[in-house]
Amino acid sequence: MSANKKLLVLPGDGIGPEVMREVRRVIEWMDRRRHVSFALEEGLVGGAALDAEGSPCPDATVERALNADAVLFGSVGGPKWDGLPFEKRPELGILRLRKELGLFANLRPALVLEPLVDASSLKPDVVRGLDLMIVRESTGGIYFGEPRGVETLPNGKRRGIDTEVYTEDEIARVARVAFDLARKRTGKMTSVEKANVMQSGRLWRAVVSEVGKSEYPDVELSHMYADNCAMQLCSRPKQFDVIVASNLFGDLLSDLAAALTGSLGMLPSATLGAPDSSGRRHALYEPVHGSAPDIAGKGIANPCAQLLSFAMLLRWSFGMEEDAAMIEQAVEKVLAGGLRTADIMGHGTARVGTSVMGDAVLRELDKLAA
Ligand code: IPM
Ligand code: MG
């Protein structure tokens, strides 16, 4: 088979390289067993790039990401780089990639798998069967708004400034991604802001309503203040299907939704750009979890979120639904069989490390492909 699928792998820092190793094994498995080959490149990002090249997101990495069909991202950051000036922070690695590739729609599914119902901090009945999708705007809002910085006032006191700013086009395009998803799912969508206190929130609510009315009258749209949404996610999460939110609110709510599922170690995400005339779009896939410096290098990190991010990549960038579903099923079967990494331990389960988890996923893949 021709290796026409160009994949850029950016393991980054902390547990990133460890969990990415398990994806590499699945990629090799696909080559062998499914006759699917990727043209694989590996690049530097985050602290690893800072150490090697003095920048958390070197131009060469951006260049290669622009040329790839899809980017598989690990995680960035760690205490080693904590004291650095703001422009050198490893986190800028992911922020620059989102911006330069125009990846404005960050899809963060939160799915409670049956074997993990007990791993959630909420009662089983509250989370059993939970399946929601947070669509987070990811190239605008307070993450990038100007003015920003820390200035010194005439009285010698410092003032820190960030700006929440959204144009109606930025709101409308991410709303459309969420509406399209809602249509394919249960036809329900909740738009989240704080229109009660923020001007950009008022505009957000107005624009989402307009797009809904004129283009998606079949989708049942509701609006919710972000604080209320956080509360509702903890008390009655199953009322939601698709949630669309700004960069900052989406960041907060997606960590919260992750906790509902039992562990950040389970959740994948996709960040998509706008399709061009041929339907091709830039896309980056990454776990919702961070670099987890406290457990890095110990071989105990959960590789599931990274594996499931690769499954999302197959589905969204290459339309390989069957292979994506196979990886998702393999992960679920391993969990159902009782193997667990430390973050998702439950009663009567066996604790294993990253690579044993990877071995088990490969065994299940073998069975599924047989
Ligand atoms: C995320 C992370 C990032 C963000 C950090 C690492 C910059 O928290 O992807 O949710 O805030 O977007
Ligand atoms: Mg976050």
Side-chain angles (χ1 to χ4, degrees):
M1 292 290 137
S2 66
N4 55 358
K5 301 178 181 62
K6 275 204 277 183
L7 209 63
L8 177 64
V9 175
L10 301 173
D13 309 319
I15 61 170
E18 297 168 44
V19 291
M20 197 67 89
R21 207 166 297 136
E22 303 312 314
V23 176
R24 298 290 289 253
R25 295 172 70 199
V26 169
I27 291 175
E28 283 156 23
W29 179 90
M30 289 185 69
D31 194 28
R32 264 196 332 272
R33 295 293 308 270
R34 306 281 294 168
H35 308 292
V36 180
S37 301
F38 297 90
L40 219 59
E41 275 192 51
E42 194 164 310
L44 288 169
V45 75
L50 261 171
D51 289 350
E53 312 200 341
S55 154
C57 193
D59 292 343
T61 296
V62 175
E63 198 61 35
R64 290 158 91 185
L66 284 166
N67 283 322
D69 293 314
V71 180
L72 188 65
F73 189 94
S75 52
V76 290
K80 178 175 176 196
W81 304 282
D82 270 353
L84 290 176
F86 200 73
E87 332 66 75
K88 295 244 168 194
R89 292 188 54 75
E91 287 77 7
L92 290 177
I94 183 63
L95 297 181
R96 181 172 178 206
L97 283 171
R98 286 179 190 154
K99 195 70 178 173
E100 300 242 7
L101 272 66
L103 307 172
F104 65 91
N106 184 198
L107 276 44
R108 298 191 155 182
L111 199 68
V112 172
L113 301 176
E114 186 55 31
L116 290 187
V117 164
D118 290 328
S120 173
S121 57
L122 296 191
K123 295 193 189 82
D125 283 351
V126 179
V127 293
R128 174 167 284 122
L130 179 74
D131 177 0
L132 63 84
M133 175 72 91
I134 296 184
V135 180
R136 167 193 179 192
E137 199 289 328
S138 45
T139 51
I142 204 162
Y143 274 65
F144 298 97
E146 297 285 345
R148 59 192 3 246
V150 177
E151 62 182 24
T152 303
L153 298 169
N155 68 3
K157 299 284 185 193
R158 285 161 302 165
R159 174 162 74 175
I161 307 162
D162 293 283
T163 303
E164 174 79 347
V165 52
Y166 272 112
T167 64
E168 62 174 296
D169 288 352
E170 285 175 313
I171 300 168
R173 68 178 180 175
V174 74
R176 286 192 185 98
V177 172
F179 275 120
D180 283 335
L181 276 165
R183 224 174 224 172
K184 286 198 214 130
R185 294 167 56 102
T186 66
K188 266 177 42 180
M189 168 166 140
T190 310
S191 171
V192 169
E193 27 56 15
K194 273 187 72 73
N196 50 347
V197 289
M198 294 168 68
Q199 294 290 351
S200 55
R202 263 171 54 152
L203 182 69
W204 184 282
R205 183 175 286 219
V207 172
V208 176
S209 295
E210 287 156 21
V211 173
K213 229 176 237 136
S214 61
E215 299 170 39
Y216 300 87
D218 51 312
V219 174
E220 187 190 319
L221 170 66
S222 56
H223 303 275
M224 200 178 270
Y225 297 141
D227 50 348
N228 185 25
C229 181
M231 190 270 280
Q232 299 280 343
L233 272 171
C234 297
S235 51
R236 282 202 313 121
K238 281 190 265 184
Q239 71 185 283
F240 297 106
D241 186 25
V242 175
I243 293 176
V244 63
S246 66
N247 208 342
L248 184 62
F249 291 149
D251 182 44
L252 303 179
L253 295 175
S254 60
D255 263 33
L256 203 162
L260 301 179
T261 71
S263 171
L264 267 173
M266 290 301 303
L267 291 199
S269 83
T271 320
L272 311 174
D276 64 15
S277 52
S278 67
R280 188 174 172 271
R281 70 195 329 170
H282 290 304
L284 178 148
Y285 302 82
E286 60 174 322
V288 174
H289 66 66
S291 57
D294 51 322
I295 59 163
K298 297 186 178 159
I300 59 172
N302 186 349
C304 291
Q306 192 77 61
L307 288 165
L308 295 172
S309 297
F310 179 62
M312 281 189 99
L313 178 153
L314 296 177
R315 175 175 294 123
W316 282 88
S317 282
F318 301 121
M320 296 168 64
E321 175 58 38
E322 196 182 317
D323 297 81
M326 205 181 264
I327 293 172
E328 289 162 353
Q329 275 168 34
V331 167
E332 186 159 1
K333 280 187 187 291
V334 169
L335 298 172
L339 291 191
R340 299 290 155 83
T341 42
D343 55 310
I344 47 174
M345 285 299 291
H347 292 299
T349 58
R351 179 180 302 211
V352 298
T354 313
S355 63
V356 173
M357 203 71 174
D359 295 341
V361 169
L362 289 174
R363 270 199 307 278
E364 289 301 336
L365 282 172
D366 272 334
K367 284 190 220 158
L368 287 165

